[in-house]
Structures are given as C-alpha cells and as structure tokens.
Amino acid sequence: MSTTDAGGAIAPRKTFLGHPRGLVVLFFTEMWERFSFYGMRAMLTLYLIQHFLFGPEEAQGIYAAYAALVYLMPVIGGLIADKYLGSRKAVIIGAVLLVLGHFTMAFEGTGGKERITIGGETYAIQVDGRNQDRKLFIVDGTERVQIAISPEGVSRAQPAATATPGGSDFPAFTPTGSFSLETTRDLQVGEPLLFLALSLIIVGVGFLKANISTVVGALYEENDPRRDGGFTIFYVGINLGSFLATIACSYLGFTYGWAYGFGLAGIGMLLGLLTFILGQPWLEGRGAPPNPVALKSTKILGVPLEAVFWILGLVAVFPTWLLIQRHELIEMVLPWAAGVIFALVVGYTVIKLKGAERTRMLVAQVLIFFSVLFWALFEQAGSSLSVFADQSTEMPGWFNVGYTQSFNPGIIIILGPLMAALWVWLGRRNMEPSTPVKFSFGLVFVGAGFLLLAWAALNAANADFRVPLLFLFLTYLLHTIGELCLSPVGLSMITKLSVERVVGLMMGVWFLSSSVAHIVAGIIAKATATDTVAGVVTDPGLALQTFSSIFSTIGWVGVGVGIFLFLVSPILKKGMAGVH
C-alpha cells in the first residue's frame, strides 16, 4: 500500500536502476528540451548574419539580449511556481511556449537582401551555401556572375574573357569608394516572426528552466543519499541533448536550409512535452501546487487562477517581443538594475545579519561576482567563437560551423564523470579544493583557452587567415574543464552559504548575475566584429587580427583574476565556516 507525504503527494515506490521512475521522465524531457534549445543556438548567430544580413556586431547584440533574458526569466517563473502553480504545471506551460517558439523559428520569410551599385547600375547580390564554401554572385538580367569583395574593392571572379558572349558587362574590378552597398530586410513578415519566436522561447524557458530541476529534487526525500546521483544523471541528459542537437540540427540547417534545422529543434521540444505529459503517472504527484485547493477554487474576473497564468504567459510574450528588438536598452538597463539589487543584498547582509551568517553570505556574494566574469568569457561560445569558427577556422569539407558547438557537451559527457570521481577521490584524502579554489581554476582555464586561440591566430594561421580546427577544439576543452570546476558547485554553493530565509532571493541573484554575464559577453563579442557583405567577411586578415587582439585581452584578464581569486581563497574558505 502506498503512503503519502505531508503535502499529500504519493511517495514513490517503484524505481528504475535504483532511482525513482520519475527520473526517467525528467531525463528525457530535459534531454529533448536541451536538444531544441542548443540545436537552435548552434545556428542562431550565423542565421542572423547570413539570412537576415545583420552585421556581426548587431547579430551578437541580439544574441546577447536573448541570452540575458533567457537567464532572467526563470527568476519570475520560479516564484510563480513556488507560490501558485507548482513545478509540474509551470513546466507544461513553458514547454508549450517553447514548442510554439521553435516551430515559429522555422518560418524564415525572405530574410535580407543586398544590392551593389556601380556606375549607376544596381545589381542584386546572391549567396550560394551556408558553410565556409559560400560564394557571392551578382545578378545581371538572366546571368549570374561570381564576385569577390575585399578591402581593395569588388572584383569579378569570372574573367571577362571567359564570360558568356553578349552576357553581363559587370566590371572586372571596382575599387573601394567607387561602389555602394544597400541592405534591406524582411521587416513585414520574417523579422517580426524571428523576434516573436525568440520571445516565445524566452518566456517558455522562464517557466521551465528552474522548475524542472525542482521536480528532480522533489523525487527524493530530504536526506536521500541518491539525490546527488539523480542530479548527475539529469545533468547527463542535458548534455546528451545538447550534443545530439548541435550535430543533427546543424547538419540539416547548413546542408538543406535553416528551416529544416530549426524545424528539427521544434520536433525535439514537442517530443519533450509529450514525454512529460505522458510520464505524469511516473512522477507520482511530485512537484504539485503548494495549495491545490486554492489553485482550483480561486478565480480572477471569473477566470480560474491556473488559466490566468496561461494567459499571462502568452501576454508576457508581447513586451518581450518589443524588448528583444531593442537590445541596446537591455544592455544599458540590466547591468544598472542588477548593480542596485546586488548593492541592496550586500547592504541587507551587512546591516541585518551577524556573525557566521553574515560572513557566509558575503562569501557567496563575492563568488557570484567572480562568476559573472567566468560566464561572460565562457558564453562566447554562442557568439564570437561561433563567428570565429565561420570566419577564421580551417575545417574539413564535411565539417560545418555548427558542429563546433558539439565540442562542449561532448567533452562534458566524457570528462564529467571523471571530474566528479576526481573530486571524490581527493575528498577521501582531505585534498579536495575548496569552492573558491574551484572557482579560481574555472577562471584560469577559461582564460587559458582564449590565450591558446590568440596564440594560434598569430602563429598557426594559413594563407587564407584560418587556424586549424584543432586549436578551436582545444579551446573548448580548456573552457569545459573550467566549467566542470565551477558550474556544478555554483548552485550548491548558493544553497549552502545562504541564510535559509533569503535562499530564494540569493538564487534569484545567481540567475540575475548569469543574465548580466550574457550582456557583458555581448559587449566582448561585438568588439570582435568586422564587416561582412551578404554574410561573407570582406577582410579575413583583419577579422583574424581582431579576434587575436580581443581574445588575448580577455584571456589575460581571466587568468589574472583567477590567480587573484586563488590567492585570496584561504580568506574566503575561512569565511565559509566549515562549508566546502
């Protein structure tokens, strides 16, 4: 006979491989959700540049604002779930919005169009291909002529002597300054739908991201020794979905068309939603609303409270849609707002708390501050490193740019268990590094990755100003080792060091800091941008030089700050008062 816990939920009895059966449902739900999220992310920045013809700086600003809002919304979604909906209902609302968002991404519209004017004649520019083999053409009547654009000017790749008799008279060479370029974008359909899709995904992630992890925790009793193992299995699901998505969605997107890649991401999210809905019996009541009776009986203007949150979720898409189109506003306001909130939390800690509670909270806030720099560097993956892969990396013909996004999750799947075992092995010998030391390792590794890439840009580039793919892989390897040092202990650190009555607030500050980190990441990424025409870089040499300069700067900053944190870590460890 089954028993119930204090909240009326049925305690799990049946297990799978020693864990509650509900973990299987959550594993595959999160795997498919991450499949959709990272499958889309692998293509997003290059899609903005190549299809809509945003400049690299503008595209990376849009990506940064999108990522910042993705990490900000779970603060609101978590509060709604904790107080009203419960985690399971919030996850379903989020998953439905995500399905709508990812399928909307598959509607491309006509994208951007570029024209070149020479001597009073205007020609449409077309691009063949989406990978590194892209070729530029101008359209002159019924004839297409391949061209190349460089800092010196625009030249005809097909010599006039071999051109079709009576065909295009497009000049063999036109110097810079003697031609003009005009870009138009699909402002009526394609671009509004793009921002609508991103807004649906942002709000959907807000409802889903924090709450599905809460359901995982709810499967286990407070002192259940299986809890850490369950979260480890769940973490594998995240990275398995990420790895599969970046391969499959990138293959379709770069080979057959963006809509196919984004469509596959939508199918992945739909499978995640169906898995979660059909798997409800295996969750055995966990993640239920905090007050189911009140949720059912409460009405606002005659509308049941649960339906109100469905409506509010859809309504929230509109202001998000307006905001994501004004990424400069997000870049300006969010850091200031976060700074004010952080200052208030520090003030509360200093004034209201005393003794060990105050010291631990201050240590947590110091580590949150350092985490902003780590994530600002690490999250170059979706922006500047993606563009670097496209513009400045030498790849085999069968390899496309999106595949580089699979390096991080693939390495985590292999190294994650080994790193976890290493910490256990060191812990048994009282040699495990403290949390501040692990944070310092993370910063040093992420900085070292950029220094390696900056060195390769100066010393290993070929005649086309491209560095071997191996160096980009090694950069991701160093970054991933840094992530494994810092990321798994981050949320745990917040829960251990925070005073119980404000732990929710501190979790919100943690997510807010991640949001600010993406804004900082966008500022860094925009500094790496150089000119493109129809999504093709015009000066590969300048692009490589710019990447090398910026990567060298942020690399030394990462390593230097990491060393500083290592040196002060004994003081921080002492302030943690026995918490490791």
Side-chain angles (χ1 to χ4, degrees), residues 176-233:
T176 298
S178 299
F179 65 89
S180 62
L181 293 164
E182 178 192 9
T183 303
T184 57
R185 292 198 295 272
D186 182 6
L187 300 178
Q188 302 301 314
V189 178
E191 201 167 309
L193 280 177
L194 164 71
F195 289 117
L196 174 62
L198 294 178
S199 302
L200 285 163
I201 292 169
I202 288 166
V203 179
V205 171
F207 276 100
L208 185 143
K209 184 174 175 64
N211 292 313
I212 194 167
S213 299
T214 303
V215 182
V216 175
L219 293 175
Y220 301 90
E221 302 303 327
E222 187 172 343
N223 296 314
D224 192 328
R226 302 174 298 170
R227 178 185 292 265
D228 286 352
F231 271 100
T232 300
I233 294 171

Side-chain angles (χ1 to χ4, degrees), residues 429-451:
R429 290 157 178 78
N430 294 319
M431 296 169 60
E432 184 181 2
S434 64
T435 297
V437 171
K438 288 180 180 178
F439 269 57
S440 73
F441 287 170
L443 282 162
V444 169
F445 276 112
V446 77
F450 282 113
L451 290 178

Side-chain angles (χ1 to χ4, degrees), residues 173-476:
F173 179 76
T174 305
T176 298
S178 299
F179 65 89
S180 62
L181 293 164
E182 178 192 9
T183 303
T184 57
R185 292 198 295 272
D186 182 6
L187 300 178
Q188 302 301 314
V189 178
E191 201 167 309
L193 280 177
L194 164 71
F195 289 117
L196 174 62
L198 294 178
S199 302
L200 285 163
I201 292 169
I202 288 166
V203 179
V205 171
F207 276 100
L208 185 143
K209 184 174 175 64
N211 292 313
I212 194 167
S213 299
T214 303
V215 182
V216 175
L219 293 175
Y220 301 90
E221 302 303 327
E222 187 172 343
N223 296 314
D224 192 328
R226 302 174 298 170
R227 178 185 292 265
D228 286 352
F231 271 100
T232 300
I233 294 171
F234 183 68
Y235 195 59
V236 170
I238 292 174
N239 288 286
L240 182 61
S242 304
F243 179 77
L244 295 174
T246 49
I247 298 295
C249 294
S250 294
Y251 173 74
L252 289 180
F254 282 89
T255 305
Y256 298 105
W258 302 111
Y260 293 97
F262 291 130
L264 181 60
I267 292 171
M269 190 60 244
L270 180 60
L271 289 173
L273 173 61
L274 293 174
T275 299
F276 192 75
I277 292 174
L278 297 176
Q280 291 292 297
W282 279 27
L283 297 177
E284 299 176 307
R286 300 305 170 117
N291 192 334
V293 176
L295 183 64
K296 279 191 174 183
S297 61
T298 303
K299 293 187 177 182
I300 298 177
L301 299 177
V303 180
L305 186 57
E306 183 177 343
V308 167
F309 284 110
W310 278 92
I311 295 169
L312 288 176
L314 290 171
V315 169
V317 171
F318 180 68
T320 307
W321 179 77
L322 292 175
L323 199 57
I324 192 69
Q325 297 178 70
R326 295 160 177 80
H327 62 85
E328 301 90 349
L329 182 64
I330 300 174
E331 292 170 9
M332 181 177 66
V333 172
L334 185 59
W336 283 103
V340 170
I341 293 171
F342 195 78
L344 290 173
V345 172
V346 173
Y348 170 85
T349 302
V350 173
I351 296 170
K352 294 290 187 179
L353 302 179
K354 295 181 180 179
E357 282 189 341
R358 178 166 62 186
T359 305
R360 288 182 182 181
M361 283 280 286
L362 288 173
V363 170
Q365 289 153 28
V366 168
L367 293 178
I368 287 174
F369 180 79
F370 281 105
S371 76
V372 171
L373 175 60
F374 174 83
W375 292 115
L377 301 188
F378 181 85
E379 290 297 340
Q380 295 300 309
S383 53
S384 69
L385 285 178
S386 183
V387 178
F388 180 87
D390 179 48
Q391 296 180 354
S392 302
T393 304
E394 181 185 11
M395 298 182 185
W398 56 270
F399 199 94
N400 74 51
V401 175
Y403 291 166
T404 62
Q405 298 290 300
S406 69
F407 291 161
N408 171 253
I411 293 167
I412 286 179
I413 291 170
I414 297 170
L415 288 189
L418 298 178
M419 291 282 287
L422 174 63
W423 300 139
V424 171
W425 185 84
L426 291 172
R428 288 173 180 165
R429 290 157 178 78
N430 294 319
M431 296 169 60
E432 184 181 2
S434 64
T435 297
V437 171
K438 288 180 180 178
F439 269 57
S440 73
F441 287 170
L443 282 162
V444 169
F445 276 112
V446 77
F450 282 113
L451 290 178
L452 174 65
L453 211 52
W455 179 89
L458 291 175
N459 298 280
N462 63 14
D464 294 324
F465 304 102
R466 296 181 180 273
V467 303
L469 180 61
L470 173 64
F471 288 101
L472 186 58
F473 171 79
L474 291 175
T475 293
Y476 275 106

